């Protein structure tokens, strides 16, 4: 969706400028007008947060993980991680950004100067993510064009892997850059850049249209697929809970990575976002509602995907599990085009659907550009935000080019595993320790309860100080053990080092050096 954070800067900082201003109604207004203005302001706060969270993480990544890890088996750790990690961390990020009125680096630096490195690391992880995330939006853009004549034909899998990606057989065969994907990528970055300053005025209205429409379409697709032969079997595979799965640490790691990703946690995004809000804005309810809407959308997207997958499995005479697990990273691009076949006005619906996915994705990508510009702006208030955003976009575009090659999907898979698990979990852990122990979770809880409609109990402090750090450390250690013993997905070691560990090491080294040279008054 278009226009969130910059939008907020206008909504919440009427005076503009480098420093955060408390939102005040400058002129006297009638009571009713005032009440309405406040109400719409609250709604916009919520919609903007939802806009940053909901994106391709819900329609592409969630079904991918559900497919890879066994449908209902994935849903159980997902819901648990949402409650244990997602909601408490979202409350924490909202609170710390709003309290400090600074982006991730500044907020953490205020707690302790050296903690600035944690904020930088989070933003860098987000930067790596946005470089491949934009490529996925570019695929959506291509699909919106292919929709016009339903170019994908009957075999949507072959179409995606061969005709669109021209996928090579292994990461070593880099092949060539796909020109259509590259052009789309450029178009996507232009869109992202323009939404930074164009979307500003339209924030509330745009979000209100671009959010419900794709959700409505997803519901329609899900219901329709349910009535196709085999649709139900897909849904059963997806929804049948499997509590045994909780014993498998890999599933729990995957679920935690998905929660961080989908709620944009530990990217510095939600902290930057909250920093634009008035210090007395509601926190707990906003966070809870954001998390609920976000996960509800993921679950509906999963329904549409798995019902259609059930139909596809029946059509080709194989098992749903077999179809779901294989090439699951591309599952949405195999399944959604198929879901449109046979419905009246298919090209029109498909076109609309992919355009809406683009708006969902651009909104999330844009929130990162905004988070990155915010941290730089905090440090160098004299630099114009537009210039910062332009530079961030250009670097993002250039770093995404590697993912447009024939082996791009392999690289994307590796980066997606390493950065969105190790990167986010480690920076998430450091963040939670900094806030929980140095700043003081109880301290923050008092503040949250002062401003929130929903009061949070002592359980939150316990989660932040003890439970979440322990859970994250256990997941880190077990995943590290596994990844050291067997190469992720059997990829060649050089690829894993280059796109996995290597990239992590660079992010950590830069953050560490930054922290090392940080001073209190920077
Ligand atoms: N929350 C977004 C989604 O679900 C994904 C996301 C998180 C993201 N952090 C990001 C996208 C950083 C771009 C950059 O789609």
């Amino acid at each position: 969706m278009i226009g969130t954070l910059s939008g907020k800067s206008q909504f919440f900082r009427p005076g503009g400028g480098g420093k955060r201003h408390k939102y005040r109604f400058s002129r006297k207004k009638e009571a009713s007008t005032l009440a309405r203005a406040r109400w719409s302001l609250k709604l916009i706060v919520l919609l903007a947060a939802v806009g940053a969270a909901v994106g391709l993480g819900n329609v592409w990544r969630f079904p991918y993980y559900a497919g890879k890890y066994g449908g209902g088996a994935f849903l159980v750790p997902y819901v648990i991680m949402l409650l244990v990690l997602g909601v408490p961390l979202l409350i924490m990020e909202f609170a710390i950004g709003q309290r400090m009125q600074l982006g991730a680096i500044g907020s953490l630096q205020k707690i302790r100067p050296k903690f600035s490195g944690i904020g930088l690391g989070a933003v860098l992880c987000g930067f790596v993510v946005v470089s491949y995330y934009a490529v996925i939006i570019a695929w959506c853009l291509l699909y919106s064009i292919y929709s016009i004549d339903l170019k994908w034909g009957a075999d949507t899998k072959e179409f995606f892997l061969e005709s669109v990606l021209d996928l090579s057989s292994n990461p070593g065969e880099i092949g060539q850059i796909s020109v259509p994907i590259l052009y789309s990528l450029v178009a996507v970055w232009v869109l992202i850049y323009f939404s930074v300053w164009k979307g500003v005025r339209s924030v509330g209205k745009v979000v209100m249209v671009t959010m419900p429409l794709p959700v409505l379409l997803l519901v329609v697709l899900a219901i329709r697929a349910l009535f196709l032969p085999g649709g139900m079997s897909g849904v059963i595979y997806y929804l049948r809970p499997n509590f045994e799965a909780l014993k498998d640490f890999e599933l729990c790691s995957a679920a935690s990575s998905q929660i961080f990703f989908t709620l944009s946690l530990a990217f510095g995004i939600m902290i930057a976002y909250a920093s634009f809000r008035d210090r007395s804005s509601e926190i707990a309810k906003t966070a809870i509602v954001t998390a609920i809407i976000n996960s509800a959308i993921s679950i509906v997207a999963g329904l549409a995907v798995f019902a259609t997958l059930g139909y596809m499995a029946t059509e080709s005479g194989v098992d749903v599990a077999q179809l779901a697990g294989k090439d699951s990273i591309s599952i949405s691009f195999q399944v959604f085009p198929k879901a449109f076949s046979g419905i009246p006005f298919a090209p029109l619906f498909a076109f609309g659907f992919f355009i809406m996915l683009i708006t969902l994705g651009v909104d999330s990508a844009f929130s990162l550009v905004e988070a990155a510009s915010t941290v730089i702006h905090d440090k160098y208030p004299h630099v114009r935000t537009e210039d910062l955003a332009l530079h961030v976009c250009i670097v993002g575009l250039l770093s995404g080019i590697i993912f447009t090659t024939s082996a791009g999907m392999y690289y994307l898979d590796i980066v997606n595993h390493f950065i969105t698990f190790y990167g986010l979990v480690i920076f998430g852990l450091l963040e939670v320790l900094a806030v929980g122990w140095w700043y003081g979770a109880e301290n923050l809880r008092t503040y949250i309860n002062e401003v929130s409609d929903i009061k949070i109990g002592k359980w939150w402090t316990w989660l932040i100080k003890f439970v979440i750090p322990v859970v994250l450390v256990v997941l880190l250690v077990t995943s590290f053990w596994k990844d050291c013993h067997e190469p992720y997905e059997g990829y060649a070691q050089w690829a894993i080092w280059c796109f996995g560990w290597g990239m992590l090491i660079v992010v950590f080294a830069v953050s560490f050096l930054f922290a090392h040279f940080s001073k209190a008054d920077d």
Side-chain angles (χ1 to χ4, degrees), residues 460-491:
W460 184 81
T461 305
W462 274 84
L463 283 173
I464 295 290
K465 285 184 88 162
F466 305 103
V467 181
I468 297 179
V470 170
V471 170
L472 294 182
V473 168
V474 170
L475 293 179
L476 268 175
V477 172
T478 51
S479 300
F480 188 65
W481 179 259
K482 183 162 187 283
D483 279 326
C484 285
H485 282 82
E486 44 187 281
Y488 171 66
E489 294 290 322
Y491 287 121

Side-chain angles (χ1 to χ4, degrees), residues 308-391:
T308 313
L309 207 67
Y311 161 63
M312 286 164 74
T314 310
E315 205 186 29
S316 47
V318 291
D319 213 31
V320 184
Q322 212 179 325
L323 212 57
K326 237 175 134 265
D327 304 312
S328 49
I329 190 162
S330 61
I331 205 169
S332 297
F333 290 89
Q334 296 175 28
V335 168
F336 284 126
K338 193 84 180 178
F340 288 105
S341 59
I343 63 169
F345 307 109
L348 192 70
F349 279 115
F351 178 75
F353 180 73
F354 284 108
I355 292 290
M356 283 184 273
L357 289 195
I358 297 168
T359 64
L360 283 182
V362 164
D363 182 313
S364 303
F366 149 70
S367 68
L368 184 95
V369 175
E370 196 63 39
S373 319
T374 303
V375 290
I376 309 175
H377 190 76
D378 285 342
K379 227 171 155 53
Y380 307 103
H382 54 280
V383 187
R384 286 185 346 140
T385 4
E386 285 88 349
D387 295 343
L388 289 175
L390 181 65
H391 287 100

Side-chain angles (χ1 to χ4, degrees), residues 123-141:
V123 175
L124 284 179
C125 284
F127 193 77
V128 176
V129 169
V130 82
S131 65
Y132 73 75
Y133 194 82
V135 176
I136 303 169
I137 308 178
W139 297 345
C140 293
L141 184 57

Side-chain angles (χ1 to χ4, degrees), residues 51-61 125-131 133-134 137 258-265 267 269-270 294 298 360-361 363-369 424:
V54 177
L56 299 176
N58 305 65
V59 281
W60 159 73
R61 202 173 188 269
C125 284
F127 193 77
V128 176
V129 169
V130 82
S131 65
Y133 194 82
I137 308 178
Q258 177 59 17
I259 290 298
F260 274 103
F261 188 90
T262 192
L263 288 175
S264 304
L265 294 170
F267 282 106
I269 292 180
M270 291 308 189
N294 179 66
S298 290
L360 283 182
D363 182 313
S364 303
F366 149 70
S367 68
L368 184 95
V369 175
L424 297 188

Side-chain angles (χ1 to χ4, degrees), residues 11 33 40 46 50 65 134 231 237 243-244 247-248 271 277 289 291 303 312 345 406 412 418 470 482 517:
F11 279 101
T33 325
S40 69
L46 180 72
V50 174
Y65 271 54
Y237 174 77
F243 292 95
E244 280 291 295
K247 289 191 199 143
D248 185 348
I271 297 185
R277 296 161 46 178
V289 176
L303 265 180
M312 286 164 74
F345 307 109
S406 299
L412 195 155
F418 283 85
V470 170
K482 183 162 187 283
F517 293 109

Side-chain angles (χ1 to χ4, degrees), residues 62 66-67 70-75 218-242 298-314 319-321 323-324 331 335:
F62 176 79
F74 179 72
L75 226 49
L218 282 171
V219 173
V220 172
L221 287 180
I223 295 176
R224 172 173 174 272
L226 257 176
F227 290 103
L228 291 174
M232 204 58 204
S233 64
V235 173
I236 291 174
Y237 174 77
Y238 169 56
L239 290 182
R240 185 188 289 150
N242 176 357
S298 290
I299 297 202
V300 171
L303 265 180
V305 166
F306 281 89
T308 313
L309 207 67
Y311 161 63
M312 286 164 74
T314 310
D319 213 31
V320 184
L323 212 57
I331 205 169
V335 168

